[in-house]
Amino acid sequence: MNSATTPRDCFLHACELDVTVRKPGNVSVASPGHGMHAQQFIASAQAAATALFEAGAPVGERIEHAVAATQAAVACNTNLGIVLLIAPLAAAAERPGALHGATALRESLQAVLDALDVADARAAYRAIVRANPGGLSHADQADVRSEPRIGLRDAMALAAPRDLIARQYTNGFADLFDALVRDLPSGFVLARATAAHVQRVYLGWLSRHPDSHIVRKHGEAVAHTVMAAAQGWAAHPAPDRAPALAEWDDSLKAAGVNPGTSADLTVATLWTAGVLATWHGS
């Protein structure tokens, strides 16, 4: 990482870049949707950044304070998934030597995840209830509206079969680190990222996994239909220059279908690549 660029700076840049680029079904500068517009996402990133990158703060506290700041800024849920992903990554990035490469960051992240406790779960639960994400249902075990009796990582393990963000907590963010290798070129520099980079990461997530947000709101069948369409676009040589991509974007928004989980994971992937100077193959 460039010494003049902090993890917080990378976060703000990744969030702005993400919303600048058209991502089918998701809000962008070119295409508002789902009752939201791009500036709300930029304002949300700016509001959440201080809490997410508060040195030494527990992961649960980062999540709760970032969501509270977001709600104060935009009064809607624009970034809960991003916050849940970045909070442990940011804590890991602070540890000595963590940014020397992907292996070092993964080891640091594992230590952060292993240390998550009931206090982290309580704070995260309060944040999730406050954000009130679309399609949030009641769970038989460790429902977020109840008082948690297990640590945050254990709670995420219960949700992992139905939620790709929760799954990252259980597998040490293995899917995210796989996405770095699959979808970004060696020597990637966040400051020089293009629309094609962002769309490749987004379509990579959307084509490999049924989007959790779509599943919650519309069911497995719709999520698999969108995933199948994304597989075709992921193989396209230049989706950012294809007029049909905008048509697909419009059709998803008209149907109220938002691959929000894939977008959240795109931001986290871009951020992770951005803070690692020598991530590829390390």
Side-chain angles (χ1 to χ4, degrees):
M1 186 176 65
N2 186 308
S3 60
T5 303
T6 67
R8 184 181 186 276
D9 292 334
C10 285
F11 171 72
L12 293 173
H13 186 65
C15 289
E16 184 172 358
L17 180 64
D18 171 74
V19 81
T20 300
V21 176
R22 185 187 291 274
K23 303 183 310 303
N26 200 243
V27 174
S28 67
V29 170
S31 178
H34 314 293
M36 296 178 287
H37 55 82
Q39 189 55 45
Q40 288 174 296
F41 288 80
I42 295 172
S44 297
Q46 293 169 340
T50 297
L52 284 174
F53 295 94
E54 182 179 349
V59 169
E61 182 178 302
R62 294 175 198 239
I63 293 168
E64 184 172 22
H65 291 178
V67 167
T70 297
Q71 291 290 314
V74 299
C76 63
N77 174 32
T78 50
N79 64 1
L80 175 62
I82 293 171
V83 167
L84 290 170
L85 290 164
I86 295 295
L89 285 166
E94 293 173 2
R95 297 167 70 91
L99 298 182
H100 290 169
T103 299
L105 181 58
R106 294 183 79 164
E107 290 173 352
S108 179
L109 177 60
Q110 192 63 52
V112 169
L113 295 172
D114 287 344
L116 294 175
D117 59 17
V118 176
D120 291 304
R122 289 172 180 157
Y125 276 30
R126 289 191 296 265
I128 293 168
V129 171
R130 182 168 189 167
N132 192 27
L136 181 65
S137 60
H138 288 271
D140 293 334
Q141 293 179 285
D143 187 272
V144 294
R145 300 169 187 86
S146 64
E147 183 74 7
R149 300 182 182 276
I150 57 177
L152 180 55
R153 193 177 195 191
D154 292 333
M156 289 293 192
L158 294 174
R162 63 181 183 274
D163 187 282
L164 191 56
I165 291 174
R167 181 168 126 174
Q168 303 315 302
Y169 278 71
T170 67
N171 68 13
F173 284 56
D175 300 313
L176 186 148
F177 284 96
D178 286 347
L180 291 180
V181 176
R182 289 178 178 176
D183 298 328
L184 288 172
S186 180
F188 172 83
V189 177
L190 183 61
R192 297 200 292 271
T194 66
H197 288 127
V198 178
Q199 287 179 341
R200 181 169 177 80
V201 173
Y202 177 72
L203 291 169
W205 282 111
L206 192 54
S207 65
R208 287 194 291 268
H209 307 277
D211 187 273
S212 303
H213 189 259
I214 297 177
V215 172
R216 283 195 298 271
K217 293 199 71 175
H218 302 280
E220 289 275 357
V222 173
H224 279 275
T225 297
V226 174
M227 183 174 68
Q231 289 166 356
W233 279 108
H236 193 286
D240 56 309
R241 296 197 291 272
L245 190 78
E247 295 172 8
W248 186 37
D249 181 22
D250 292 340
S251 69
L252 289 173
K253 290 191 173 80
V257 176
N258 178 12
T261 300
S262 299
D264 296 338
L265 285 157
T266 296
V267 171
T269 304
L270 293 170
W271 177 85
T272 305
V275 297
L276 290 175
T278 57
W279 64 265
H280 196 282
S282 62

